[in-house]
Amino acid sequence: ANGRRFVADVASAVMAGSNKSLEADAALSLPEELLANILAKADELWTLYEYFDYKPTNASLRNYLKVIASIGQSDRVLAIVEYAHSNSIRMDEETYLWILFGLRHLKGSARLVSDFIRKMKGSGLCVGEQHHQAALMSFALQGDASAAIEFYRQHLALLIAEKRHGGAGDVTVEMCLYALQAFAFGIGHLLERSTNTKDVEEVLSAAKDIMAYLDRNHSAFDVKGPIY
């Protein structure tokens, strides 16, 4: 049993180490051959758990997700989540963060991202600013204004209001810019899909609220103007 645990822990450590140089989507600019080699090594190490009949831990799962998410293998993230559920592996906040980050390139994943946020809260886990940023990043990359405005209603507007009244709600510059980008990229789709201007007016109202927040709290940040 100790031998199996040792090999499994070594596998996790190697997978974690292979990810040290992979920062956000910068990993995707690496040569395809190198990315394929990293993925092959991670898959090979992951099979050691099955080979030695050793159940992976949350930390092991998270390290595997780091590799998958960093090199843009979004379609495989859900398979890993399904594996965790079927093997009763309880995932923590950091693991969920890598799940959210890993889904950023999966087309139509906005509802999944929102579901994972709700699932975290339902499990008693803390949903922090990094989780919000990862969710909004997905909406921005996919130009999903509908998902962004729903997220704004449920989370961002409440945090902004809390901050406005001296509360501890923290809304980062990144969260605001991702939301604005999602609005900007997706507002055209809203206009194409419906003649109802109410949705567009809601997006513009939310954008104004976010701009006002940035002006009050991050006035030195000048990227917001062109996006708005």
Side-chain angles (χ1 to χ4, degrees), residues 95-114:
T95 301
Y96 270 105
L97 177 60
W98 281 100
I99 292 170
L100 296 173
F101 181 62
L103 291 173
R104 68 198 182 283
H105 292 304
L106 186 63
K107 190 174 181 180
S109 63
R111 188 168 296 279
L112 285 170
V113 168
S114 299

PDB file of all heavy atoms in Angstrom, residues 95-114:
ATOM      1  N   THR A  95      -9.364  23.302  -7.018  1.00  0.00           N
ATOM      2  CA  THR A  95      -9.679  22.379  -8.103  1.00  0.00           C
ATOM      3  C   THR A  95     -10.796  22.939  -8.980  1.00  0.00           C
ATOM      4  O   THR A  95     -10.726  22.888 -10.211  1.00  0.00           O
ATOM      5  CB  THR A  95     -10.083  21.005  -7.543  1.00  0.00           C
ATOM      6  OG1 THR A  95      -9.008  20.492  -6.752  1.00  0.00           O
ATOM      7  CG2 THR A  95     -10.388  20.023  -8.672  1.00  0.00           C
ATOM      8  N   TYR A  96     -11.818  23.504  -8.337  1.00  0.00           N
ATOM      9  CA  TYR A  96     -12.902  24.125  -9.103  1.00  0.00           C
ATOM     10  C   TYR A  96     -12.395  25.300  -9.939  1.00  0.00           C
ATOM     11  O   TYR A  96     -12.871  25.546 -11.045  1.00  0.00           O
ATOM     12  CB  TYR A  96     -14.019  24.588  -8.169  1.00  0.00           C
ATOM     13  CG  TYR A  96     -15.077  23.539  -7.926  1.00  0.00           C
ATOM     14  CD1 TYR A  96     -15.140  22.838  -6.725  1.00  0.00           C
ATOM     15  CD2 TYR A  96     -16.012  23.242  -8.909  1.00  0.00           C
ATOM     16  CE1 TYR A  96     -16.116  21.873  -6.502  1.00  0.00           C
ATOM     17  CE2 TYR A  96     -16.997  22.275  -8.704  1.00  0.00           C
ATOM     18  CZ  TYR A  96     -17.042  21.598  -7.494  1.00  0.00           C
ATOM     19  OH  TYR A  96     -18.008  20.640  -7.301  1.00  0.00           O
ATOM     20  N   LEU A  97     -11.409  26.018  -9.402  1.00  0.00           N
ATOM     21  CA  LEU A  97     -10.849  27.138 -10.161  1.00  0.00           C
ATOM     22  C   LEU A  97     -10.229  26.648 -11.468  1.00  0.00           C
ATOM     23  O   LEU A  97     -10.418  27.252 -12.528  1.00  0.00           O
ATOM     24  CB  LEU A  97      -9.797  27.860  -9.314  1.00  0.00           C
ATOM     25  CG  LEU A  97      -9.074  29.021  -9.997  1.00  0.00           C
ATOM     26  CD1 LEU A  97     -10.058  30.110 -10.412  1.00  0.00           C
ATOM     27  CD2 LEU A  97      -8.005  29.597  -9.060  1.00  0.00           C
ATOM     28  N   TRP A  98      -9.515  25.522 -11.402  1.00  0.00           N
ATOM     29  CA  TRP A  98      -8.901  24.972 -12.616  1.00  0.00           C
ATOM     30  C   TRP A  98      -9.954  24.408 -13.568  1.00  0.00           C
ATOM     31  O   TRP A  98      -9.773  24.424 -14.789  1.00  0.00           O
ATOM     32  CB  TRP A  98      -7.862  23.910 -12.246  1.00  0.00           C
ATOM     33  CG  TRP A  98      -6.574  24.550 -11.802  1.00  0.00           C
ATOM     34  CD1 TRP A  98      -6.147  24.738 -10.531  1.00  0.00           C
ATOM     35  CD2 TRP A  98      -5.580  25.126 -12.646  1.00  0.00           C
ATOM     36  NE1 TRP A  98      -4.944  25.383 -10.526  1.00  0.00           N
ATOM     37  CE2 TRP A  98      -4.568  25.634 -11.810  1.00  0.00           C
ATOM     38  CE3 TRP A  98      -5.444  25.255 -14.034  1.00  0.00           C
ATOM     39  CZ2 TRP A  98      -3.429  26.272 -12.313  1.00  0.00           C
ATOM     40  CZ3 TRP A  98      -4.308  25.885 -14.537  1.00  0.00           C
ATOM     41  CH2 TRP A  98      -3.324  26.382 -13.676  1.00  0.00           C
ATOM     42  N   ILE A  99     -11.062  23.925 -13.023  1.00  0.00           N
ATOM     43  CA  ILE A  99     -12.165  23.474 -13.883  1.00  0.00           C
ATOM     44  C   ILE A  99     -12.727  24.663 -14.663  1.00  0.00           C
ATOM     45  O   ILE A  99     -12.900  24.599 -15.890  1.00  0.00           O
ATOM     46  CB  ILE A  99     -13.286  22.818 -13.039  1.00  0.00           C
ATOM     47  CG1 ILE A  99     -12.802  21.493 -12.445  1.00  0.00           C
ATOM     48  CG2 ILE A  99     -14.535  22.590 -13.888  1.00  0.00           C
ATOM     49  CD1 ILE A  99     -13.756  20.905 -11.422  1.00  0.00           C
ATOM     50  N   LEU A 100     -12.998  25.755 -13.947  1.00  0.00           N
ATOM     51  CA  LEU A 100     -13.535  26.952 -14.597  1.00  0.00           C
ATOM     52  C   LEU A 100     -12.572  27.492 -15.645  1.00  0.00           C
ATOM     53  O   LEU A 100     -12.965  27.869 -16.754  1.00  0.00           O
ATOM     54  CB  LEU A 100     -13.835  28.033 -13.552  1.00  0.00           C
ATOM     55  CG  LEU A 100     -14.924  27.705 -12.523  1.00  0.00           C
ATOM     56  CD1 LEU A 100     -14.983  28.788 -11.449  1.00  0.00           C
ATOM     57  CD2 LEU A 100     -16.276  27.551 -13.200  1.00  0.00           C
ATOM     58  N   PHE A 101     -11.294  27.529 -15.295  1.00  0.00           N
ATOM     59  CA  PHE A 101     -10.275  28.010 -16.233  1.00  0.00           C
ATOM     60  C   PHE A 101     -10.178  27.089 -17.441  1.00  0.00           C
ATOM     61  O   PHE A 101     -10.022  27.526 -18.577  1.00  0.00           O
ATOM     62  CB  PHE A 101      -8.925  28.096 -15.511  1.00  0.00           C
ATOM     63  CG  PHE A 101      -7.804  28.614 -16.371  1.00  0.00           C
ATOM     64  CD1 PHE A 101      -7.851  29.894 -16.904  1.00  0.00           C
ATOM     65  CD2 PHE A 101      -6.700  27.829 -16.636  1.00  0.00           C
ATOM     66  CE1 PHE A 101      -6.817  30.374 -17.700  1.00  0.00           C
ATOM     67  CE2 PHE A 101      -5.662  28.296 -17.420  1.00  0.00           C
ATOM     68  CZ  PHE A 101      -5.721  29.578 -17.951  1.00  0.00           C
ATOM     69  N   GLY A 102     -10.299  25.788 -17.188  1.00  0.00           N
ATOM     70  CA  GLY A 102     -10.182  24.811 -18.269  1.00  0.00           C
ATOM     71  C   GLY A 102     -11.319  24.853 -19.265  1.00  0.00           C
ATOM     72  O   GLY A 102     -11.170  24.412 -20.409  1.00  0.00           O
ATOM     73  N   LEU A 103     -12.472  25.393 -18.860  1.00  0.00           N
ATOM     74  CA  LEU A 103     -13.647  25.435 -19.743  1.00  0.00           C
ATOM     75  C   LEU A 103     -13.685  26.677 -20.632  1.00  0.00           C
ATOM     76  O   LEU A 103     -14.607  26.840 -21.428  1.00  0.00           O
ATOM     77  CB  LEU A 103     -14.927  25.392 -18.901  1.00  0.00           C
ATOM     78  CG  LEU A 103     -15.227  24.077 -18.182  1.00  0.00           C
ATOM     79  CD1 LEU A 103     -16.428  24.250 -17.264  1.00  0.00           C
ATOM     80  CD2 LEU A 103     -15.479  22.957 -19.181  1.00  0.00           C
ATOM     81  N   ARG A 104     -12.674  27.545 -20.530  1.00  0.00           N
ATOM     82  CA  ARG A 104     -12.742  28.851 -21.185  1.00  0.00           C
ATOM     83  C   ARG A 104     -12.850  28.765 -22.708  1.00  0.00           C
ATOM     84  O   ARG A 104     -13.362  29.683 -23.346  1.00  0.00           O
ATOM     85  CB  ARG A 104     -11.531  29.701 -20.790  1.00  0.00           C
ATOM     86  CG  ARG A 104     -10.188  29.192 -21.336  1.00  0.00           C
ATOM     87  CD  ARG A 104      -9.023  29.803 -20.577  1.00  0.00           C
ATOM     88  NE  ARG A 104      -7.740  29.364 -21.098  1.00  0.00           N
ATOM     89  CZ  ARG A 104      -7.203  28.172 -20.862  1.00  0.00           C
ATOM     90  NH1 ARG A 104      -7.875  27.290 -20.118  1.00  0.00           N
ATOM     91  NH2 ARG A 104      -6.032  27.844 -21.361  1.00  0.00           N
ATOM     92  N   HIS A 105     -12.344  27.681 -23.319  1.00  0.00           N
ATOM     93  CA  HIS A 105     -12.391  27.562 -24.778  1.00  0.00           C
ATOM     94  C   HIS A 105     -13.463  26.584 -25.260  1.00  0.00           C
ATOM     95  O   HIS A 105     -13.561  26.344 -26.462  1.00  0.00           O
ATOM     96  CB  HIS A 105     -11.026  27.111 -25.319  1.00  0.00           C
ATOM     97  CG  HIS A 105      -9.951  28.149 -25.154  1.00  0.00           C
ATOM     98  ND1 HIS A 105     -10.059  29.420 -25.652  1.00  0.00           N
ATOM     99  CD2 HIS A 105      -8.744  28.098 -24.522  1.00  0.00           C
ATOM    100  CE1 HIS A 105      -8.966  30.116 -25.355  1.00  0.00           C
ATOM    101  NE2 HIS A 105      -8.167  29.343 -24.663  1.00  0.00           N
ATOM    102  N   LEU A 106     -14.237  26.032 -24.336  1.00  0.00           N
ATOM    103  CA  LEU A 106     -15.273  25.076 -24.720  1.00  0.00           C
ATOM    104  C   LEU A 106     -16.506  25.837 -25.173  1.00  0.00           C
ATOM    105  O   LEU A 106     -17.159  26.527 -24.384  1.00  0.00           O
ATOM    106  CB  LEU A 106     -15.612  24.154 -23.548  1.00  0.00           C
ATOM    107  CG  LEU A 106     -16.589  23.015 -23.853  1.00  0.00           C
ATOM    108  CD1 LEU A 106     -15.986  22.059 -24.876  1.00  0.00           C
ATOM    109  CD2 LEU A 106     -16.937  22.248 -22.579  1.00  0.00           C
ATOM    110  N   LYS A 107     -16.844  25.712 -26.432  1.00  0.00           N
ATOM    111  CA  LYS A 107     -17.946  26.488 -27.003  1.00  0.00           C
ATOM    112  C   LYS A 107     -19.263  26.159 -26.295  1.00  0.00           C
ATOM    113  O   LYS A 107     -19.597  25.012 -26.066  1.00  0.00           O
ATOM    114  CB  LYS A 107     -18.066  26.181 -28.499  1.00  0.00           C
ATOM    115  CG  LYS A 107     -19.020  27.101 -29.226  1.00  0.00           C
ATOM    116  CD  LYS A 107     -18.992  26.847 -30.717  1.00  0.00           C
ATOM    117  CE  LYS A 107     -19.942  27.798 -31.429  1.00  0.00           C
ATOM    118  NZ  LYS A 107     -19.935  27.587 -32.895  1.00  0.00           N
ATOM    119  N   GLY A 108     -19.994  27.204 -25.953  1.00  0.00           N
ATOM    120  CA  GLY A 108     -21.282  27.026 -25.299  1.00  0.00           C
ATOM    121  C   GLY A 108     -21.199  26.574 -23.858  1.00  0.00           C
ATOM    122  O   GLY A 108     -22.154  26.006 -23.327  1.00  0.00           O
ATOM    123  N   SER A 109     -20.058  26.828 -23.201  1.00  0.00           N
ATOM    124  CA  SER A 109     -19.872  26.322 -21.829  1.00  0.00           C
ATOM    125  C   SER A 109     -20.378  27.287 -20.757  1.00  0.00           C
ATOM    126  O   SER A 109     -20.214  27.019 -19.568  1.00  0.00           O
ATOM    127  CB  SER A 109     -18.385  26.042 -21.575  1.00  0.00           C
ATOM    128  OG  SER A 109     -17.628  27.235 -21.656  1.00  0.00           O
ATOM    129  N   ALA A 110     -20.988  28.405 -21.168  1.00  0.00           N
ATOM    130  CA  ALA A 110     -21.402  29.422 -20.195  1.00  0.00           C
ATOM    131  C   ALA A 110     -22.323  28.851 -19.118  1.00  0.00           C
ATOM    132  O   ALA A 110     -22.153  29.122 -17.926  1.00  0.00           O
ATOM    133  CB  ALA A 110     -22.093  30.581 -20.913  1.00  0.00           C
ATOM    134  N   ARG A 111     -23.296  28.049 -19.536  1.00  0.00           N
ATOM    135  CA  ARG A 111     -24.226  27.480 -18.562  1.00  0.00           C
ATOM    136  C   ARG A 111     -23.504  26.512 -17.619  1.00  0.00           C
ATOM    137  O   ARG A 111     -23.802  26.468 -16.413  1.00  0.00           O
ATOM    138  CB  ARG A 111     -25.363  26.746 -19.284  1.00  0.00           C
ATOM    139  CG  ARG A 111     -26.479  26.279 -18.356  1.00  0.00           C
ATOM    140  CD  ARG A 111     -27.693  25.825 -19.140  1.00  0.00           C
ATOM    141  NE  ARG A 111     -28.282  26.916 -19.892  1.00  0.00           N
ATOM    142  CZ  ARG A 111     -29.097  27.822 -19.363  1.00  0.00           C
ATOM    143  NH1 ARG A 111     -29.400  27.772 -18.075  1.00  0.00           N
ATOM    144  NH2 ARG A 111     -29.605  28.776 -20.109  1.00  0.00           N
ATOM    145  N   LEU A 112     -22.552  25.763 -18.159  1.00  0.00           N
ATOM    146  CA  LEU A 112     -21.770  24.851 -17.325  1.00  0.00           C
ATOM    147  C   LEU A 112     -20.986  25.625 -16.276  1.00  0.00           C
ATOM    148  O   LEU A 112     -20.914  25.220 -15.111  1.00  0.00           O
ATOM    149  CB  LEU A 112     -20.803  24.032 -18.186  1.00  0.00           C
ATOM    150  CG  LEU A 112     -21.399  22.897 -19.011  1.00  0.00           C
ATOM    151  CD1 LEU A 112     -20.362  22.344 -19.975  1.00  0.00           C
ATOM    152  CD2 LEU A 112     -21.900  21.778 -18.095  1.00  0.00           C
ATOM    153  N   VAL A 113     -20.356  26.720 -16.704  1.00  0.00           N
ATOM    154  CA  VAL A 113     -19.583  27.548 -15.784  1.00  0.00           C
ATOM    155  C   VAL A 113     -20.477  28.047 -14.652  1.00  0.00           C
ATOM    156  O   VAL A 113     -20.119  27.968 -13.471  1.00  0.00           O
ATOM    157  CB  VAL A 113     -18.944  28.735 -16.538  1.00  0.00           C
ATOM    158  CG1 VAL A 113     -18.380  29.759 -15.549  1.00  0.00           C
ATOM    159  CG2 VAL A 113     -17.837  28.242 -17.466  1.00  0.00           C
ATOM    160  N   SER A 114     -21.658  28.548 -14.998  1.00  0.00           N
ATOM    161  CA  SER A 114     -22.598  29.037 -13.981  1.00  0.00           C
ATOM    162  C   SER A 114     -23.046  27.907 -13.054  1.00  0.00           C
ATOM    163  O   SER A 114     -23.191  28.099 -11.842  1.00  0.00           O
ATOM    164  CB  SER A 114     -23.817  29.674 -14.656  1.00  0.00           C
ATOM    165  OG  SER A 114     -23.436  30.775 -15.459  1.00  0.00           O
TER     166      SER A 114
END
